[in-house]
Amino acid sequence: MHNLSLFSLKNRALIALVTVVVAVFGGLAFTSLKQELIPSIEVPQLAVLTAHPGASVEVVASDVTTPVEKALQTVPGLLGTTSTSSTGMSVVLAEFEFGTETAKVEQKMNQALGRISSFLPENVDPSVLAISLDDFPVIQVAVSSDDPGSLAGRLADVVVPELERLDGVAAASIVGAPGPRISVTPRFEDMAENGVSAQQVATVLAQNGVLVPAGTIDDDGSSMAVQVGQRLSSVEDVATIPVGAVTLEDVADVEMTTDPTTSYSLVDGKEALTLSVTKLPDANTVEVSHAVRDALPGLEEMVAGATFSVLVDQAPFIEESINSLASEGLLGLVMAVIVILAFLRSGRATLVTAVSIPVSLLVAFVGMQAAGYTLNILSLGGLTIAIGRIVDDSIVVIENVERHMRYGKTRRATIVDAVREVAGAITASTVTTVAVFLPIALVGGMAGVLFRPFAFTVAIAMGASLLVALTIVPVLAYWILKWKGHGTSEDETTAADDLSDTAEATGLIQRSYGRLLTWVLSHRWVTVGIAVVVLVGTGALTPLMKTSFLGDMSQNSLGITQAVAPGTALDDQLEQAREVDEALRAVDGVELVAATIGSTESSALLSGGNESISWSLTTDADGDQARIQEDVRAAITAIVPEEDVTISQLAGMGMSSDVEIAVRGAEAADVAAATETIAEAMRPLDEVEQVATSLTTARPTVSVVLDRALLAQMGTSEAQVSQAIAGMITPQQIGAVTIDGSSVSVYLTPTDPPASVDAIRDLAIDPSGVTVDDVAEVKVEDGPVAITTSNGVRNQLVTVTPLTDDLGQTASVVGDTLDTIDLPDGVTAEIGGVTAEQNEAFSQLGLAMLVAILIVYVVMVATFRSLLHPFLLLVSIPFAATGAVLLQVATGVALGVPSLIGVLMLIGIVVTNAIVLIDLVKQYRDRGVPMTEALHRGSVHRVQPILMTAFATILALAPMAIGITGHGGFISQPLAIVVIGGLFSSTLMTLLVLPALYHLVESIGSRGATRTQDV
């Protein structure tokens, strides 16, 4: 590799030009990178949503959910399904492996559902929804008005088109606005007078407005298609359809109305609609958000009397996180440069060394642009972490160049010889650091998807730093360093044999370390014994570490779910919400309160059909989030029973930090009883803050049981009477028309729908006056609010919220408690959710670490051409755990996936110093220097670059470990803490324990003799 430096010195102008070009391209790449919070993730889950208006829970489960689940079993790659059947709605979640192409799976699912369409109830159409982070709104805006009746229309006509014209906007939709429908309400007196039956009105659309293809004809050489009929395109077209001898409007009221209100939205106590804006897949989240915000003042003027309030905006947190990481990275860069200056005591040498940082980062930006990665908290976190490491190679080169200046050689010979001496070592150390990220490809699940961009950016930056150290740094050293040599000929290659030179470095660090090393080499067994004791102590401290999955994002937002009694009327829910809203807005630190009351498509997907009020609170970003959360809990539980309230704050990547227990069994009653037993056992635990279950109280259901025998005597059937009763209670869809390019459903609306159970009994089912009560038993029964299944088996969830951030401890206590509970026969309970994700990620990262160690060993065997020496260097890895564990325990930061990524980095980092040291010792021994002297001289010569690289990395990471800015630290802080602690302890091991261990092992094999070949 030293030939690169020789080439660079011969082509200095070319190297300078290439450096400028790299800087230009890197700058362009940086400015064009998209800014996101996290990498784009395709969640391997797809949902099948099916509406069956008016159907009870049991009917939805048997007629919709079960057929859909069976149909999905034919989809390749399906891991399992989870379903929820609630009144009028079926939700089936299909889960696949991470990395599955959701577009192909979605197509397969649609094909499977198409094959069962004829077996589903009439007018029931399942829709497949792919869950992707790109589909989540970039920004949501609440719009309230003094004229709410016309607000939806004005937004649709004026605001939505303006928003969708903005660059990067995929769609703007109005949430909470009831859709249009054409209502046909029969007038029975007019129908009787004109001899029109209810059946004629119900089938009127099926017989009119039909467009039928009639083939083709050839006329004068032209082939033309023939179509017969004309579609209905307006309310007037529907109203003037002939029904017998009259038109539909003669016997029924035909008018354009809106769908029944099924939900309300409140923003700071005012009813509002929500504008939801999504972006194109290739668009920049921050740019789209800014464009929408810039457009809002003008839009507000265009909609008179409307008030626009931003509910959710991804951009500020993204910008804060990225800017914070960038600030911490710059602080780290400055501190690394200060360390270099303090050790080298030369502004020129510091400048040459520091150049490697920006050049390596610019190369990384080019690599990110080429690979299609975005600038997010993970990729930027990787670059920030790498800042302390990418300067290491240049430090070793410059320090060695300065040492060689004392040998009286020419400038070129000095640089070439100095680089030759360390080229192999820095190449091996950098390759090992990069190679440890290869096993990331083996890590599956969300952890693998999230951290691959992190690994890629670090690897590119590290590779670039090696090239900079071998090309640009020698050229800059040639130009900038103050020459101290005595040679005059540029062709001179060697003026002194530096390896056989016996002159010791005379610096304070070298002298102090030399004396300490002399004692270590004289007390080798004592040194190794102390090291073993330290390792044992580290093992004893391990149980004191807290564990988590991804940590806490510390966003200034809270989510609240308020359960309501099943069957509570929507208006009554609205009144409850207004009371709670007033209390929440009075809490100090709460800036915005938004509520969703009733059922929407998204609430059905998220809540599983359970009746609840969802709250979203925006809090003061600079406030004490823990205190605000406690004040919010106190305020809401003063009004609502505590068991009906669940408060959550986003954990890492928006994931819940709760421990979930899945309870499964064949019998619903047994599952419910087991669920309640488990919940009661968890509530007294000290580690638990709150416990919630998916159980709800029974929902009252009106059951109409028809007398089949009596109906047969009357000449009718159960199906006919059931359909007639349904039509008198609930509007029935009888068709659809296309108006202005949009499909509008047409409903046959009952004239006077019953408002009570007695009114249902009094409904007349035929012209003779026979009522429902005459042919059926009408009674009120308690039925389930929802039926949930997992792979076809009944299941319920117990959700346990930890009191602290120690997810592992809470999961352990929950697991121990669960083992003591006697469950009914046929019922099982297992811990899942984020705990299962954590366990899977930990096990996969553990495997990745073992593979990384093997890769590092192979690289070092290739470098040293020995099986023994690399094995000795691997001993530094467990000593890295000592500092990492100590610092994790001392700071109280939980061990999570970011920490384990830091451990993976440590595997590559900690052996680099050992490689640099042992490589020089090996060179001395190959020249015939006795082992003890070789160890002493090599270690003393390498102590300064080893300490420089270690302290530069440690201080570069210090701002992130401290969390100076406080934003985006849930990824970078634990990672930085692990690297700092591990690097500190492994450096001490490299400088003290490794020489002693090397001497002991080599003495066993060679009895301390000098050698001329590898042992």
Side-chain angles (χ1 to χ4, degrees):
M1 294 297 290
H2 71 279
N3 290 328
L4 282 175
S5 61
L6 190 59
F7 172 83
S8 301
L9 289 172
K10 292 179 178 179
N11 300 273
R12 296 188 291 273
L14 175 63
I15 295 299
L17 180 61
V18 169
T19 304
V20 172
V21 171
V22 167
V24 171
F25 276 95
L28 293 174
F30 174 73
T31 56
S32 61
L33 286 173
K34 293 192 300 179
Q35 293 184 32
E36 306 286 352
L37 181 60
I38 59 176
S40 179
I41 298 175
E42 283 193 352
V43 180
Q45 285 186 336
L46 290 93
V48 180
L49 305 180
T50 311
H52 191 7
S56 66
V57 174
E58 288 90 346
V59 171
V60 171
S62 61
D63 293 357
V64 180
T65 303
T66 299
V68 168
E69 282 189 300
K70 289 181 178 178
L72 294 180
Q73 300 306 312
T74 63
V75 178
L78 180 70
L79 295 181
T81 58
T82 303
S83 69
T84 301
S85 304
S86 55
T87 302
M89 176 64 71
S90 166
V91 180
V92 179
L93 285 175
E95 184 177 358
F96 299 85
E97 289 282 1
F98 262 97
T100 302
E101 292 187 36
T102 54
K104 290 183 178 179
V105 172
E106 184 176 356
Q107 183 181 9
K108 296 289 185 183
M109 289 176 63
N110 280 316
Q111 292 173 354
L113 294 173
R115 289 192 288 269
I116 65 165
S117 59
S118 59
F119 300 99
L120 296 175
E122 189 177 358
N123 296 323
V124 168
D125 185 20
S127 60
V128 179
L129 176 65
I131 303 173
S132 172
L133 295 184
D134 285 337
D135 296 329
F136 283 84
V138 171
I139 185 170
Q140 288 182 306
V141 182
V143 186
S144 56
S145 172
D146 298 331
D147 183 15
S150 64
L151 181 60
R154 289 185 292 163
L155 292 178
D157 295 340
V158 178
V159 176
V160 170
E162 289 292 329
L163 289 175
E164 291 184 339
R165 276 194 284 267
L166 298 175
D167 289 340
V169 173
S173 56
I174 304 172
V175 180
R181 68 162 58 179
I182 296 176
S183 177
V184 178
T185 307
R187 300 191 298 271
F188 290 108
E189 296 83 359
D190 293 339
M191 289 172 61
E193 182 180 336
N194 290 281
V196 176
S197 67
Q199 182 66 21
Q200 286 178 291
V201 174
T203 59
V204 67
L205 283 187
Q207 300 171 356
N208 296 273
V210 180
L211 199 62
V212 178
T216 59
I217 61 170
D218 293 327
D219 186 3
D220 293 336
S222 298
S223 179
M224 293 180 289
V226 180
Q227 62 183 27
V228 180
Q230 182 179 10
R231 294 193 185 278
L232 304 173
S233 59
S234 66
V235 178
E236 290 73 19
D237 288 347
V238 176
T240 55
I241 293 175
V243 183
V246 296
T247 61
L248 184 59
E249 63 184 349
D250 294 329
V251 295
D253 295 326
V254 182
E255 58 182 343
M256 179 72 80
T257 60
T258 58
D259 292 328
T261 300
T262 59
S263 65
Y264 290 105
S265 292
L266 291 180
V267 177
D268 283 343
K270 296 181 180 179
E271 291 186 34
L273 299 177
T274 302
L275 284 170
S276 183
V277 181
T278 57
K279 71 177 184 68
L280 295 170
D282 295 332
N284 188 320
T285 299
V286 174
E287 291 179 357
V288 171
S289 170
H290 287 173
V292 172
R293 279 186 174 271
D294 292 342
L296 289 183
L299 296 175
E300 198 165 8
E301 293 179 1
M302 296 169 66
V303 184
T307 302
F308 288 64
S309 304
V310 175
L311 283 179
V312 177
D313 188 357
Q314 294 187 26
F317 186 72
I318 293 174
E319 290 179 301
E320 270 189 300
S321 299
I322 291 178
N323 291 339
S324 297
L325 281 172
S327 300
E328 290 173 351
L330 289 174
L331 283 173
L333 189 154
V334 170
M335 297 184 77
V337 171
I338 291 174
V339 169
I340 299 168
L341 181 61
F343 274 92
L344 294 180
R345 298 183 300 279
S346 167
R348 293 170 180 261
T350 302
L351 177 62
V352 173
T353 306
V355 164
S356 61
I357 298 177
V359 175
S360 300
L361 294 180
L362 290 171
V363 172
F365 291 140
V366 174
M368 290 171 61
Q369 177 76 5
Y373 288 128
T374 61
L375 193 65
N376 53 67
I377 59 175
L378 286 158
S379 58
L380 186 58
L383 292 177
T384 310
I385 292 291
I387 283 177
R389 179 63 187 84
I390 56 182
V391 75
D392 287 5
D393 293 343
S394 298
I395 286 176
V396 173
V397 169
I398 285 299
E399 195 277 339
N400 213 40
V401 168
E402 289 219 320
R403 183 168 67 86
H404 276 249
M405 283 182 172
R406 296 195 295 270
Y407 300 144
K409 295 177 290 186
T410 64
R411 183 176 306 190
R412 176 178 294 178
T414 296
I415 295 173
V416 171
D417 289 346
V419 174
R420 180 189 294 116
E421 185 178 305
V422 298
I426 64 173
T427 300
S429 63
T430 302
V431 170
T432 55
T433 305
V434 172
V436 296
F437 288 109
L438 294 179
I440 289 288
L442 302 176
V443 179
M446 181 171 285
V449 174
L450 287 174
F451 281 94
R452 282 186 194 118
F454 175 94
F456 176 84
T457 51
V458 173
I460 291 293
M462 292 297 301
S465 72
L466 176 61
L467 290 177
V468 170
L470 294 174
T471 57
I472 298 174
V473 168
V475 172
L476 292 178
Y478 186 92
W479 282 337
I480 297 177
L481 290 186
K482 189 175 181 181
W483 179 238
K484 300 178 183 179
H486 304 288
T488 58
S489 172
E490 289 293 337
D491 295 328
E492 184 181 355
T493 58
T494 305
D497 185 356
D498 52 280
L499 284 174
S500 62
D501 184 83
T502 58
E504 292 286 348
T506 57
L508 176 62
I509 293 175
Q510 290 89 338
R511 292 197 307 271
S512 301
Y513 172 67
R515 289 192 293 268
L516 181 60
L517 183 61
T518 300
W519 186 91
V520 165
L521 293 177
S522 301
H523 302 81
R524 297 183 294 276
W525 285 109
V526 174
T527 303
V528 173
I530 293 173
V532 171
V533 171
V534 170
L535 278 180
V536 173
T538 301
L541 285 175
T542 302
L544 300 178
M545 284 194 302
K546 297 186 291 185
T547 61
S548 67
F549 183 45
L550 286 173
D552 184 3
M553 292 180 71
S554 300
Q555 283 188 273
N556 58 320
S557 61
L558 287 175
I560 303 174
T561 302
Q562 174 191 342
V564 297
T568 303
L570 187 61
D571 288 341
D572 291 340
Q573 293 184 40
L574 179 60
E575 290 304 314
Q576 293 181 31
R578 290 190 185 280
E579 183 180 4
V580 173
D581 174 87
E582 186 175 350
L584 292 177
R585 285 189 287 126
V587 175
D588 185 33
V590 174
E591 296 182 343
L592 184 71
V593 178
T596 300
I597 304 102
S599 61
T600 63
E601 186 177 271
S602 59
S603 68
L605 182 61
L606 296 174
S607 68
N610 293 333
E611 295 184 43
S612 60
I613 302 173
S614 299
W615 299 88
S616 177
L617 276 61
T618 302
T619 59
D620 183 1
D622 299 324
D624 183 345
Q625 302 302 317
R627 180 196 60 78
I628 295 174
Q629 182 171 337
E630 288 305 313
D631 291 348
V632 166
R633 184 183 298 277
I636 193 171
T637 53
I639 302 171
V640 180
E642 187 171 359
E643 60 269 18
D644 291 339
V645 177
T646 304
I647 301 177
S648 60
Q649 189 172 25
L650 291 180
M653 306 305 168
M655 296 186 67
S656 169
S657 60
D658 298 334
V659 178
E660 291 184 354
I661 305 171
V663 187
R664 300 186 178 92
E667 299 296 329
D670 290 343
V671 172
T675 301
E676 191 58 45
T677 301
I678 292 171
E680 289 301 320
M682 299 302 162
R683 287 192 174 98
L685 298 178
D686 294 336
E687 294 81 3
V688 172
E689 182 174 25
Q690 64 183 14
V691 177
T693 72
S694 57
L695 292 173
T696 56
T697 54
R699 182 189 185 98
T701 302
V702 179
S703 175
V704 180
V705 183
L706 296 169
D707 187 333
R708 297 189 185 95
L710 182 58
L711 293 176
Q713 293 175 8
M714 296 172 58
T716 186
S717 68
E718 183 179 20
Q720 289 175 318
V721 174
S722 297
Q723 189 64 36
I725 294 174
M728 288 183 283
I729 298 175
T730 305
Q732 303 294 306
Q733 186 177 353
I734 58 175
V737 299
T738 302
I739 300 177
D740 296 333
S742 300
S743 179
V744 179
S745 299
V746 181
Y747 284 84
L748 185 62
T749 306
T751 304
D752 186 19
S756 65
V757 176
D758 288 336
I760 294 177
R761 293 191 176 100
D762 295 336
L763 288 174
I765 60 172
D766 71 359
S768 65
V770 176
T771 65
V772 171
D773 197 39
D774 295 330
V775 298
E777 179 185 3
V778 181
K779 56 186 177 180
V780 178
E781 297 178 333
D782 285 338
V785 174
I787 296 175
T788 59
T789 64
S790 176
N791 295 323
V793 179
R794 291 288 183 100
N795 83 309
Q796 296 288 350
L797 286 179
V798 178
T799 304
V800 180
T801 302
L803 184 63
T804 66
D805 60 349
D806 193 351
L807 176 64
Q809 173 65 14
T810 304
S812 176
V813 172
V814 167
D816 292 342
T817 305
L818 192 61
D819 291 338
T820 64
I821 299 174
D822 186 19
L823 299 175
D825 293 338
V827 176
T828 61
E830 62 179 0
I831 297 177
V834 70
T835 307
E837 285 276 358
Q838 175 186 326
N839 293 337
E840 180 186 5
F842 278 25
S843 63
Q844 291 186 352
L845 282 170
L847 176 62
M849 290 175 198
L850 294 177
V851 175
I853 292 172
L854 177 61
I855 292 174
V856 168
Y857 182 72
V858 171
V859 172
M860 290 193 296
V861 167
T863 301
F864 292 107
R865 298 184 299 279
S866 167
L867 295 175
L868 181 60
H869 291 156
F871 183 77
L872 289 176
L873 269 58
L874 290 180
V875 176
S876 60
I877 294 175
F879 284 93
T882 300
V885 171
L886 281 172
L887 206 53
Q888 291 264 170
V889 172
T891 57
V893 174
L895 178 75
V897 172
S899 304
L900 294 182
I901 296 294
V903 174
L904 194 63
M905 284 188 68
L906 274 176
I907 292 173
I909 292 175
V910 298
V911 298
T912 59
N913 287 335
I915 289 174
V916 170
L917 188 149
I918 295 300
D919 179 71
L920 184 57
V921 172
K922 180 176 176 294
Q923 291 183 52
Y924 277 127
R925 295 198 64 199
D926 287 343
R927 296 294 183 94
V929 179
M931 183 172 59
T932 302
E933 184 182 349
L935 270 173
H936 198 279
R937 290 177 57 189
S939 300
V940 170
H941 278 307
R942 286 288 178 257
V943 64
Q944 179 159 307
I946 287 175
L947 290 178
M948 285 173 63
T949 56
F951 279 111
T953 302
I954 289 172
L955 291 181
L957 298 179
M960 281 176 288
I962 298 171
I964 291 177
T965 59
H967 297 284
F970 75 102
I971 291 291
S972 59
Q973 186 180 38
L975 203 157
I977 286 173
V978 165
V979 174
I980 288 175
L983 186 55
F984 182 82
S985 60
S986 66
T987 300
L988 291 178
M989 184 273 169
T990 299
L991 293 175
L992 299 177
V993 181
L994 182 59
L997 189 62
Y998 180 93
H999 197 291
L1000 286 173
V1001 173
E1002 287 287 273
S1003 297
I1004 294 173
S1006 61
R1007 302 301 176 188
T1010 62
R1011 62 173 192 160
T1012 58
Q1013 60 182 5
D1014 291 327
V1015 175

